[in-house]
Amino acid sequence: MTKAKWIVGLSVLGIVAIGAARPELWDLLPTRANAGKQLSGAWLVATGQLVRPWNPGVAIAGRPADFALNDGATLAAVLNGNSIVMVDGTAGKELSRAPSRTTSYIGIAFRPGTNEVWASEATRSGPDSLLIAQYTPDGKITGTTRMNLPGHPIPAGLAFTKDGTRLYAAMHHDNEVVEIDAGKREVVRRIAVGLAPFAVVLDEAAGRLYVSNRAGERRPAAAVAPSGKESLPVDAVGSVLAGSLSVIDLKDASVKTHATGLAPAGMALTKDGKTLAVANSHSDTVQLFDTGTWSSQSLAVASAKTPVGAIPNSVAFRPDGKRLYVACGGENSIAVFDLSGKAWKLTGRAPAGWFPTGLHMAANGRLMVSSVKGTGNDERPAGGHNSRVYEGMLNSYADPTAAELKAGEREVAAAASPRFEPAGGVKDVSKLGIKHVFLLIKENRTYDQVFSDIERGRRDPSLLMYGREVTPNHHALAEEFVLLDNFHASGAISFEGHQWLMMGFVSDHVERALNAAPRGYAWNMGDSMTVVPTGFFWQDKRRPLDVLLLGPVSLPAKREPGGLVKDINENEMMKWGEYWEHYQKGTWRDVIASKCAVPALAGIYDETFPFSSMKIPDQIRADAFLERLKKWEDKGSAPNLTIVTLTSDHTEGRNPAAPRPASMVADNDLALGRIVEGVSKSKFWENSLIIAVEDDAQDGVDHISGRRTLALFAGPMVRRGALDENYYTQINLVRTIQDIFRIEPRTRFLAASRAMSSIFTTAKDARPYKALPSRLKLDDMNPPVKALNGRERWAAVESVKMNWSEVDDVPTDVLNRILWEDRKGWGTSYPVRRAGLNK
C-alpha cells in the first residue's frame, strides 16, 4: 500500500459513513457461498461471520496478538506469534521482522531513551525469555538478544518507566510481577499478585502498578481444575471464577485487590490517572475503576439478551479521557463508549479485522488496531490453501464520528450474524425423532486429500492423497448418504478445533498464543482458563441429556492389576506396536485407560476408553465402542449423546515406531466403518444420527479453503445419495445437535448459526450400513532410518525428531511435506494453487 493510500484510509471515516454505503452486507448470502472474499468485499470466515474492516490495513504474515507504538506513533512493534515485526505507522507498510521463539499472550514495549523493543516469549513448556530487538530510526531491526527467565514463568504484559531504566513484567505462570533493571537485565524485585497475571499498567506519578489477574484469587472452599502447573478455582462447569485487579504500591510493594469480571485482560488508564478500564473478556463487560475511591461501574459491550461471545479483550482511552475504545474479538469490532456528563454510553461500533486483540490511541488522535486473523486469508504466496497459513492485520483509523459509529453498529451486527438463503431440507430437526447422536471426532484432513476422487463434488484431484483405496468407508458413507463439499473447520488446529466442537467458543486466551500454548496444549480443555462460562454445548438445565464421553477431554493413563486407573505422562505410554500386539491378543483391556481433563465432566467420562493418542490403534477404539453398544442393547437404553475420538488419521509421518501414514488413515477408516455398521444394526438405529468430523484440516492443502474438511452424516433420517453444497462449519454442526435436542445455544457463535437442515429428510430409510474391509495392511510399519536414502531418509529422520507424545507438537509444514511426498513420490513438489481451478 502506498503512503497516499494509507493516509486516505486514515481519513476516510471523517468523510464517508462507510457502513451505510455498502448495503451488500444486509443482503442474503448465497447458501452455497464459498469461504473467502465475497462480492461485497467482505470475507466469509470459518466462524460463520463476515469480516470487512473499514480500511484495508497492513496484512502481516503471522498472528499479531499485541503491538506497541513509539512516542510519535511513527513505528509500531508487533508481537507476532513467531516473530517481532516493525511497521511504519505513517506509510502503513512492514519495515522489518526478526524471528523469535513462540511469543506470549501479550507483552511488547519500546524501551524509552533507547533503540530497543522488548517482547515476551513463551514456549510450550519453557524456557521462556524476554526478546530484546535493536532497531534503527527507520524501523530496521539490526539484531536481537535475550534475557532468559528461569523455569516456565510465561512473561506477559510489560511496562517501562518513563526513563527506561525499569521494566515491570507480569509472570503469568508464577503469579507475580517482576521489576527488572533494564540496563543490567536483572530481576531486582518480585511481587506476588493474583492468579495468572496478564496485563500491566504503570502510573508512575501515583507510584502504582495495576495488574489484571485472569484467574482472580485463591479460594480455599472452591472447586479447582487444572491450568498449566497449578489448579485454579472454577465453577460448576469447570470455568475459572471471577478475576481480580492487583494495585501495587511501588514504594513498599504492598498489594490491594479488587474484584473484576470473568477473565480480565487488557487495561487502560486515563491521562489524569483517575479512571482505569479493565476488559472482562468472558463477561462481555468493561469495568471502570475510580482510582481515588475504588468504586467501579460495569459497561456492557453487548445487550443482556445477546449470548456471551463479544470477548472484549483490549481497551484504550482517547487522550481527553472522554471516549473509550474496546476491542471485541468475538464480533470483530471496536465498541466505542462516550462520556456524557457523568455517564458512559455506548455510541456505536467500528468494524475491525478478524479477532482484534491489540488497541492503541496515538497522541495524534489515530486509533490503531491489530487483529490476530486479519481477513481469514489462508492462501500461500504461490496459491495453495492451508489452515496454518496465518495472516493478521494492523489497521489505523481516524477517530470516527457518532454518525459513523451508528452506521458501524448496524454493519457489525450484520457481519456477526450474516443471513443465508434457505438451505432446504427439514425445517425443524427436533421433530425427526432422533434420540441418539453419536459424534465421532477425527484428525486433521482436508476435503481434497480424501474426497477429490469423487467426481460430483468440487475438487482438485491432483491433491488427492487418501482416496478410495485408503478410505473405502469414508467414500461409501459419502456416496450412500450425503457428500458435503462446502464444510469447514472453525479452528485452524486441534487447540481450537476441539474447543469449537465441545463448546462453540474459543477464548482470546487461545487465539492470542495459539503458536505457543504456554499453559498446555489444551485441545482437551485441560486448561480451565479456556472453558467458557456457559459450559459445554450439551449442558442445558431445562433439557438435561444422558451424555457419555469416550476419548474427548482425555488425559493419558494406564490400567494396573485390579483395574486401578493410574495417571501417566504421554511419554510413558507404550509404543504403537505394543498396543497393536495387545489388540491382536485381545488383551488391550488390561492396559488401556484414560483420565478426564475437566473434573466437572468426570461423571460422564469413561476412564476405561483409550486416551486420544496416535500411539493407540483406532481398532481398539472401535472394539471398545462396540462392547459398550452391546451393553446398551442388553439393557435396552443408550445415551442421548455419545462423543468418541478416533485419532489415527493424524498419522505419525514416517516415524519408524508407527505404521505408514496410509495405513494409519486406513485404520481410522475401518474403525469408522465398524462403528457405523454396529449402530446401524442395533435396536437404536431407527432413532439415531451418526456424525463423523475432523477436528481441523491443518495437515494438508485444499484448492478452495485451507479449512475445508470432511463431515459425514449417517442415519435413517439422512438423505441418501445426495450432494450438499451449502456453506457449513463446525459451529453449524454443533448447532444441529442442539436443535435436535432443543438445547438453547448459549454462545453468540452458536446462536447466530443455522442448523444443517439440508442433510435431513422426513422419508425414513433404515437400511443398515455394511463396513468395507481395509485394502491396506494396518500394521505396515514405516521402515527404519538405516534402510533409507535420500528424501525418504530425510522424512524418517525428521519424523523421529518430532514429539508424537503430545498432540500437534510437531512442525506442521514439515509433516505436511512428508505426508505429501510419501503419497506422491519422493522429491515431488509440494502443491500450489494453479490458474483455472474453480474456486
Side-chain angles (χ1 to χ4, degrees):
M1 181 184 297
T2 66
K3 180 175 181 178
K5 288 182 178 179
W6 177 256
I7 294 173
V8 169
L10 299 181
S11 60
V12 71
L13 294 185
I15 302 170
V16 178
I18 294 178
R22 289 186 172 178
E24 300 93 339
L25 282 182
W26 288 266
D27 291 347
L28 292 176
L29 280 173
T31 190
R32 295 173 177 81
N34 280 326
K37 198 168 188 178
Q38 308 298 301
L39 292 177
S40 65
W43 289 69
L44 178 60
V45 298
T47 46
Q49 300 168 312
L50 290 169
V51 174
R52 191 175 71 184
W54 265 349
N55 76 56
V58 183
I60 299 175
R63 295 181 65 89
D66 190 16
F67 72 99
L69 295 175
N70 67 351
D71 285 341
T74 57
L75 294 175
V78 179
L79 191 73
N80 195 40
N82 282 308
S83 62
I84 304 301
V85 180
M86 297 293 285
V87 175
D88 187 321
T90 304
K93 64 179 181 179
E94 182 176 322
L95 299 172
S96 61
R97 67 171 56 206
S100 67
R101 295 170 179 165
T102 51
T103 56
S104 189
Y105 307 98
I106 187 175
I108 189 164
F110 286 88
R111 182 185 173 196
T114 72
N115 65 338
E116 295 175 355
V117 170
W118 289 51
S120 293
E121 293 181 310
T123 59
R124 181 84 58 98
S125 55
D128 301 329
S129 51
L130 294 173
L131 180 70
I132 302 149
Q134 293 79 39
Y135 66 95
T136 62
D138 60 356
K140 302 296 183 185
I141 297 175
T142 57
T144 59
T145 55
R146 280 188 174 86
M147 177 178 170
N148 291 315
L149 303 170
H152 183 32
I154 310 181
L158 306 177
F160 276 104
T161 54
K162 290 178 182 179
D163 62 8
T165 61
R166 288 288 191 269
L167 173 69
Y168 296 96
M171 295 296 154
H172 188 66
H173 221 182
D174 286 354
N175 305 322
E176 65 181 15
V177 168
V178 298
E179 181 181 334
I180 295 171
D181 183 319
K184 296 180 179 179
R185 300 183 184 179
E186 294 178 353
V187 174
V188 295
R189 185 162 55 161
R190 299 179 181 275
I191 304 170
V193 290
L195 298 171
F198 191 77
V200 295
V201 169
L202 176 62
D203 185 350
E204 215 166 336
R208 294 173 179 161
L209 185 74
Y210 303 118
V211 186
S212 61
N213 305 302
R214 282 189 76 104
E217 306 297 312
R218 288 184 171 82
R219 306 185 189 201
V224 295
S227 176
K229 63 184 180 183
E230 65 184 312
S231 292
L232 302 175
V234 296
D235 61 16
V237 300
S239 183
V240 169
L241 295 174
S244 66
L245 170 69
S246 292
V247 181
I248 302 173
D249 185 325
L250 293 174
K251 290 181 180 179
D252 59 8
S254 61
V255 180
K256 293 183 179 179
T257 302
H258 303 279
T260 68
L262 298 171
M267 299 185 296
L269 186 68
T270 53
K271 193 173 182 180
D272 61 11
K274 293 181 178 180
T275 305
L276 179 74
V278 181
N280 296 315
S281 62
H282 286 186
S283 293
D284 283 358
T285 63
V286 175
Q287 203 162 347
L288 299 182
F289 286 93
D290 182 319
T291 60
T293 65
W294 289 108
S295 61
S296 71
Q297 61 177 309
S298 182
L299 306 180
V301 299
S303 165
K305 297 180 181 179
T306 305
V308 67
I311 313 180
N313 60 76
S314 291
V315 284
F317 282 105
R318 195 166 62 187
D320 64 5
K322 294 182 179 180
R323 175 168 277 190
L324 174 67
Y325 308 87
V326 185
C328 297
E331 67 174 20
N332 314 317
S333 79
I334 306 303
V336 180
F337 292 84
D338 283 311
L339 185 61
S340 177
K342 295 183 178 181
W344 289 90
K345 295 184 179 180
L346 179 64
T347 304
R349 286 172 166 79
W354 191 7
F355 215 98
T357 56
L359 186 63
H360 290 284
M361 171 59 76
N364 60 8
R366 288 188 288 118
L367 181 67
M368 298 189 71
V369 184
S370 64
S371 56
V372 177
K373 297 185 281 190
T375 60
N377 181 22
D378 64 7
E379 193 169 25
R380 295 176 184 276
H385 292 271
N386 180 268
S387 72
R388 291 290 293 262
V389 176
Y390 298 139
E391 183 181 278
M393 180 178 288
L394 183 65
N395 295 89
S396 183
Y397 297 124
D399 196 16
T401 67
E404 290 163 348
L405 290 169
K406 289 299 180 186
E409 179 96 27
R410 185 174 174 226
E411 185 171 345
V412 167
S417 184
R419 297 181 304 131
F420 288 84
E421 296 170 346
V426 176
K427 185 177 181 179
D428 186 350
V429 297
S430 70
K431 294 182 179 180
L432 290 171
I434 296 171
K435 298 179 181 178
H436 310 286
V437 173
F438 302 90
L439 175 59
L440 315 179
I441 302 176
K442 301 171 354 77
E443 291 284 332
N444 299 20
R445 301 273 68 88
T446 72
Y447 180 95
D448 273 336
Q449 281 183 308
V450 179
F451 282 158
S452 59
D453 56 351
I454 300 179
E455 292 186 2
R456 59 180 174 158
R458 285 171 293 180
R459 67 201 184 105
D460 179 355
S462 72
L463 301 180
L464 182 70
M465 293 174 62
Y466 305 113
R468 194 179 303 272
E469 176 188 0
V470 181
T471 55
N473 286 290
H474 283 72
H475 284 69
L477 289 167
E479 291 169 338
E480 285 193 30
F481 292 95
V482 58
L483 174 66
L484 290 141
D485 74 345
N486 201 9
F487 183 89
H488 301 262
S490 299
I493 61 176
S494 297
F495 196 2
E496 293 176 293
H498 284 267
Q499 295 188 32
W500 283 119
L501 287 168
M502 298 291 280
M503 299 185 298
F505 178 93
V506 170
S507 169
D508 69 301
H509 205 250
V510 174
E511 296 289 9
R512 284 177 178 272
L514 196 73
N515 300 64
R519 291 188 82 99
Y521 192 74
W523 65 270
N524 59 359
M525 277 56 72
D527 177 358
S528 52
M529 281 199 290
T530 68
V531 178
V532 65
T534 52
F536 296 85
F537 79 81
W538 59 83
Q539 293 174 326
D540 188 340
K541 292 181 180 179
R542 298 176 306 107
R543 300 192 64 81
L545 296 183
D546 181 4
V547 180
L548 181 65
L549 304 180
L550 302 177
V553 301
S554 65
L555 292 169
K558 69 177 182 179
R559 189 78 60 82
E560 294 197 321
L564 180 68
V565 174
K566 180 182 178 182
D567 291 324
I568 60 173
N569 294 321
E570 285 88 341
N571 56 15
E572 295 179 80
M573 295 182 68
M574 296 187 296
K575 296 179 180 178
W576 188 95
E578 294 174 290
Y579 285 113
W580 181 254
E581 184 177 355
H582 278 289
Y583 170 68
Q584 290 181 308
K585 291 180 178 179
T587 56
W588 57 266
R589 298 165 195 81
D590 299 332
V591 295
I592 290 295
S594 59
K595 285 280 191 177
C596 186
V598 182
L601 298 180
I604 60 172
Y605 185 86
D606 189 335
E607 290 190 342
T608 62
F609 197 82
F611 169 60
S612 292
S613 167
M614 291 83 72
K615 294 183 178 182
I616 301 175
D618 277 343
Q619 296 312 302
I620 293 179
R621 295 183 176 89
D623 271 12
F625 174 86
L626 293 173
E627 284 186 352
R628 285 154 181 76
L629 180 62
K630 176 65 166 58
K631 291 179 181 178
W632 299 334
E633 288 209 87
D634 290 343
K635 72 176 184 178
S637 64
N640 300 120
L641 174 65
T642 305
I643 305 179
V644 186
T645 52
L646 299 173
T647 59
S648 289
D649 58 336
H650 185 292
T651 83
E652 289 194 20
R654 289 299 297 264
N655 178 13
R660 293 177 184 270
S663 291
M664 295 194 75
V665 176
D667 172 30
N668 178 265
D669 176 81
L670 180 58
L672 170 64
R674 291 178 59 203
I675 289 173
V676 175
E677 177 180 345
V679 174
S680 76
K681 293 181 177 179
S682 75
K683 63 177 64 174
F684 309 113
W685 178 237
E686 290 277 337
N687 305 109
S688 289
L689 173 66
I690 303 170
I691 306 172
V693 64
E694 306 293 308
D695 70 322
D696 62 67
Q698 67 173 305
D699 286 342
V701 174
D702 188 90
H703 85 280
I704 286 180
S705 167
R707 296 177 188 238
R708 192 170 70 132
T709 189
L710 317 178
L712 295 166
F713 286 73
M717 309 309 293
V718 176
R719 295 165 63 198
R720 295 271 182 162
L723 170 65
D724 194 319
E725 299 177 285
N726 290 290
Y727 178 84
Y728 291 134
T729 73
Q730 290 173 332
I731 301 170
N732 298 108
L733 184 152
V734 173
R735 177 61 188 267
T736 303
I737 300 173
Q738 289 188 315
D739 280 11
I740 286 171
F741 293 119
R742 299 180 187 174
I743 296 170
E744 179 186 5
R746 296 179 309 285
T747 72
R748 66 168 49 202
F749 306 101
L750 289 168
S753 65
R754 56 179 179 167
M756 299 172 67
S757 59
S758 58
I759 70 169
F760 296 106
T761 177
T762 57
K764 182 177 288 189
D765 184 341
R767 285 176 290 167
Y769 175 76
K770 175 64 177 175
L772 299 176
S774 177
R775 302 178 186 181
L776 302 183
K777 184 181 178 185
L778 302 186
D779 60 347
D780 184 10
M781 302 297 287
N782 284 315
V785 174
K786 63 182 180 181
L788 305 173
N789 296 296
R791 288 288 291 179
E792 192 171 8
R793 182 183 178 88
W794 163 83
V797 169
E798 291 299 316
S799 296
V800 169
K801 292 179 185 176
M802 296 178 186
N803 178 22
W804 300 109
S805 295
E806 192 169 345
V807 176
D808 286 352
D809 189 20
V810 298
T812 302
D813 283 345
V814 177
L815 174 61
N816 289 357
R817 281 161 173 77
I818 290 171
L819 297 179
W820 174 259
E821 292 188 40
D822 174 73
R823 293 301 292 167
K824 296 294 188 178
W826 300 106
T828 303
S829 297
Y830 196 61
V832 296
R833 184 170 167 75
R834 293 169 301 288
L837 285 173
N838 174 31
K839 185 171 180 190

